[in-house]
Amino acid sequence: MTASSSLPLVARVVEVVRENARICTLVLDRHLAAEPGQFVMAWLPGVDERPFSLARARPVTLTVASVGPLSTAVNALRPGDQLWIRGPLGRPFALPEPGVHGAGRLLLAAGGYGVAPMHFLAERALEQGWHVDAVIGARTAEDLIFRDRFAALGIDVRVTTDDGSLGQAGLATDAVRDLLERGDYRALYACGPEAMLEALERLSTTCKLPAQLSYEGTMRCGFGVCGTCARRGWLVCRDGPVKDVGWT
């Protein structure tokens, strides 16, 4: 963390995209030197400060679900309104070194609004010559977002919904397991609910496939002082949010 990343910067909203009834994507007038997997702390005076993964860094783009007072207030912002951001913070994803035969295949899995940082990673991986497959999971068809954005990148997207209202019925982890049995992947990346990530951690260990998993736990300070995000001796904001599994 640099001195500048610890200080809040005022930004203005330049665009708001309504993803569904409770999720918006906000484009701000700030640019950050950030990598996929990193996050910013967003602050509205008199409301609260909370972490949000970067959906893009240039310009700063945040995909926010209304789940509490701050996220609801952020989703009510309109072009021209101000939002203070602090960052970039956290440990980002890392892409493997290309093999002797060049870059291979990567599998990206996203649950819920974890699709936003995974789309950022997909863009970066494609720029470096990787072939990318993706699994996007949601509870229902109405909850699914970013499918068209992944498809626009030329990525083969497997969709799952818990209730079977769109794509494959069941969990994203089921689709990941199916793809791992069929494909030859260099690494697995994921962001989503903790139960999903824990299942993928076990799966990657069983398959002996290196994985990087982004845990988006509750964070308060953003740089490892308060201890709010402690997870089994691991501070999500300082040591993560990206966790290595079998990574060398």
Side-chain angles (χ1 to χ4, degrees):
M1 182 184 67
T2 64
S4 61
S5 67
S6 66
L7 299 174
L9 301 171
V10 64
R12 288 190 182 276
V13 178
V14 297
E15 183 182 3
V16 178
V17 178
R18 171 64 64 180
E19 305 291 354
N20 61 25
R22 69 186 190 95
I23 300 178
C24 282
T25 294
L26 290 85
V27 181
L28 308 180
D29 66 351
R30 285 279 184 177
H31 293 255
L32 293 177
E35 298 296 322
Q38 290 189 292
F39 64 95
V40 295
M41 300 295 293
W43 173 53
L44 282 175
V47 184
D48 204 352
E49 183 184 48
R50 291 286 179 176
F52 295 102
S53 294
L54 288 162
R56 189 167 281 161
R58 305 182 67 84
V60 171
T61 304
L62 308 176
T63 297
V64 181
S66 295
V67 295
L70 178 68
S71 55
T72 299
V74 169
N75 273 350
L77 296 176
R78 294 295 177 261
D81 290 341
Q82 292 181 325
L83 178 67
W84 282 257
I85 59 172
R86 182 162 56 90
L89 300 166
R91 180 173 177 268
F93 291 109
L95 293 170
E97 290 294 329
V100 293
H101 300 295
R105 300 171 71 89
L106 303 176
L107 180 57
L108 277 56
Y113 45 88
V115 296
M118 299 311 293
H119 183 264
F120 188 9
L121 177 63
E123 290 181 315
R124 185 62 53 84
L126 292 171
E127 289 171 0
Q128 296 188 18
W130 291 94
H131 182 93
V132 176
D133 294 334
V135 173
I136 302 176
R139 289 177 298 175
T140 70
E142 289 74 20
D143 295 314
L144 191 83
I145 62 172
F146 274 50
R147 180 189 187 186
D148 292 344
R149 287 178 174 83
F150 275 89
L153 296 175
I155 291 173
D156 182 20
V157 183
R158 179 83 63 94
V159 170
T160 70
T161 50
D162 295 354
D163 66 353
S165 53
L166 185 66
Q168 177 180 328
L171 303 175
T173 50
D174 298 328
V176 169
R177 183 180 294 106
D178 181 50
L179 288 172
L180 292 182
E181 290 174 353
R182 300 181 184 186
D184 181 19
Y185 294 99
R186 285 283 306 279
L188 169 67
Y189 296 85
C191 182
E194 188 162 330
M196 167 189 160
L197 297 179
E198 289 178 343
L200 291 178
E201 183 171 344
R202 293 190 294 270
L203 181 60
S204 69
T205 300
T206 300
C207 296
K208 295 182 172 56
L209 178 70
Q212 289 197 331
L213 312 174
S214 179
Y215 283 85
E216 298 189 316
T218 300
M219 294 179 257
R220 294 299 303 171
C221 69
F223 46 85
V225 173
C226 71
T228 301
C229 64
R231 182 182 181 276
R232 300 172 189 171
W234 187 68
L235 291 175
V236 175
C237 70
R238 185 194 66 192
D239 305 319
V242 174
K243 178 182 179 182
D244 291 343
V245 180
W247 202 269
T248 58

